[in-house]
């Protein structure tokens, strides 16, 4: 059987959760929903548990299957493996901006958290994060809302209103293995699995893991990370893909080019 990722005890410190060793700690961020989609634009499917595959994604999800909208080889970035978002952060931003509410699965994020703010989730960027007892991911960047998601949700202005609340993109790493985990034979890491994560698992930033140089956002231009309302004409121009580059991409990965 795969390694379980049970709930872990956490506390907040400077907007980032860190492990605690005292017996009075309380549960911090908790997974309340897990979603996967088998291919681009396919409906999101709710799961009570999923298996993480290091260097690939969530078993059965579009990006692990290389069927996601941005699965093209020329758009590769490790943070496509898994996405997390704070439900509390989304709800707060909706109330603050007056945006019409919608179901969390409409954002197409894999993991929905409660008990943590959007800011605290954003502060995970550059850190390794533990989920349950064994699962481990590295957070590469914020996951900003796109034009297509705004249109699909039917919420005009959603990109600007939820810009800082739409979660983070993560790379799945090998699991944390305790010495006694190998006693029974095959471990998750030996089978190439990153462990199982379940609804109810806790989420905690692993202390002393921040490394700016590990962050990999792929080929994203600078303007990609600027709120649409703040983009300048020059920013927009720099985000346009030159025709010759698009032609090369189409030749290199025609199937991926069609998905984009």
């Amino acid at each position: 059987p795969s390694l379980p990722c049970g709930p872990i005890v956490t506390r907040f410190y400077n907007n980032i959760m860190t492990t605690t060793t005292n017996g009075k700690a309380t549960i911090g961020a908790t997974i309340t929903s897990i979603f996967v989609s088998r291919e681009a634009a396919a409906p999101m499917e709710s799961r009570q548990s999923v298996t993480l595959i290091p260097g690939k994604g969530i078993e059965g999800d579009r990006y692990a299957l290389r069927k996601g909208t941005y699965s093209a080889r020329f758009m590769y970035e490790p943070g496509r493996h898994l996405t997390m978002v704070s439900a509390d952060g989304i709800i707060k931003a909706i109330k603050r901006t007056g945006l019409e509410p919608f179901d969390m699965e409409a954002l197409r994020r894999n993991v929905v958290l409660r008990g943590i703010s959007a800011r605290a989730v954003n502060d995970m960027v550059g850190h390794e994060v533990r989920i349950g007892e064994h699962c481990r991911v590295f957070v590469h960047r914020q996951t900003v809302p796109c034009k297509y998601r705004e249109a699909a949700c039917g919420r005009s202005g959603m990109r600007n209103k939820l810009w800082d609340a739409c979660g983070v993109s993560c790379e799945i790493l090998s699991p944390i293995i305790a010495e006694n985990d190998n006693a029974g034979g095959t471990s998750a890491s030996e089978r190439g699995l990153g462990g199982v994560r379940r609804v109810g698992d806790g989420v905690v930033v692993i202390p002393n893991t921040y490394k700016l140089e590990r962050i990999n956002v792929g080929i994203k231009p600078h303007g990609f990370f600027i709120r649409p309302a703040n983009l300048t004409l020059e920013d927009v121009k720099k985000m346009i893909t030159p025709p010759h580059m698009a032609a090369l991409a189409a030749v290199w990965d025609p199937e991926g080019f069609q998905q984009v």
Side-chain angles (χ1 to χ4, degrees):
S2 301
L3 286 174
C5 290
I8 51 179
V9 178
T10 62
R11 68 181 172 87
F12 288 104
Y13 181 73
N14 289 339
N15 295 313
I16 297 179
M17 292 184 298
T18 55
T19 53
T20 178
T21 56
N22 67 64
K24 298 181 180 180
T26 57
I27 295 297
T30 302
I31 297 175
T32 57
S33 302
I34 300 174
F35 298 101
V36 297
S37 176
R38 298 182 184 279
E39 60 185 6
M44 297 298 281
E45 302 172 9
S46 179
R47 293 283 188 271
Q48 285 301 303
S49 66
V50 289
T51 298
L52 308 189
I53 306 175
K56 189 173 182 179
I58 301 173
E59 188 174 55
D61 186 60
R62 58 205 185 280
Y63 285 104
L65 298 171
R66 290 187 52 80
K67 293 184 178 180
T69 302
Y70 304 105
S71 289
R73 285 183 290 173
F74 55 85
M75 299 190 76
Y76 173 77
E77 58 172 296
R80 295 288 182 198
H81 295 170
L82 177 152
T83 51
M84 296 192 293
V85 65
S86 163
D88 298 332
I90 291 293
I91 292 170
K92 183 178 180 180
I94 285 175
K95 289 181 178 179
R96 184 183 69 249
T97 62
L99 191 69
E100 183 182 351
F102 53 85
D103 293 334
M104 286 300 301
E105 64 185 88
L107 282 178
R108 298 184 73 78
R109 304 299 185 247
N110 297 121
V111 177
V112 180
L113 305 174
R114 295 302 298 259
I116 185 171
S117 67
R119 180 180 176 183
V121 170
N122 293 340
D123 285 343
M124 291 179 177
V125 172
H127 295 264
E128 288 187 9
V129 174
R130 188 174 70 184
I131 304 163
E133 296 179 357
H134 299 281
C135 304
R136 188 168 60 107
V137 301
F138 180 79
V139 184
H140 282 277
R141 65 173 177 86
Q142 285 184 226
T143 309
V144 297
C146 64
K147 290 181 180 179
Y148 177 78
R149 188 62 14 221
E150 179 177 293
C153 289
R155 302 294 190 275
S156 178
M158 187 181 84
R159 296 177 69 208
N160 282 305
K161 293 176 179 179
L162 301 185
W163 187 256
D164 293 322
C166 282
V168 290
S169 297
C170 311
E171 174 185 5
I172 298 173
L173 307 175
S174 58
I176 300 169
I177 305 297
E179 291 183 8
N180 59 2
D181 286 331
N182 292 317
T186 306
S187 69
S189 60
E190 291 170 331
R191 299 194 332 276
L193 301 180
V196 175
R197 61 189 305 167
R198 296 183 173 87
V199 169
D201 280 346
V203 177
V204 61
V205 168
I206 302 175
N208 304 315
T209 59
Y210 179 76
K211 286 189 178 180
L212 181 65
E213 62 272 19
R214 287 180 65 181
I215 296 174
N216 180 352
V217 301
I219 61 172
K220 299 287 185 297
H222 174 69
F224 180 86
F225 298 101
I226 300 176
R227 189 188 299 269
N230 298 332
L231 283 170
T232 65
L233 180 59
E234 191 62 30
D235 291 328
V236 174
K237 288 180 178 178
K238 290 180 179 179
M239 294 173 70
I240 298 174
T241 302
H244 70 282
M245 292 298 292
L248 286 173
V251 172
W252 182 28
D253 186 1
E255 183 179 352
F257 185 81
Q258 289 297 320
Q259 289 175 184
V260 176

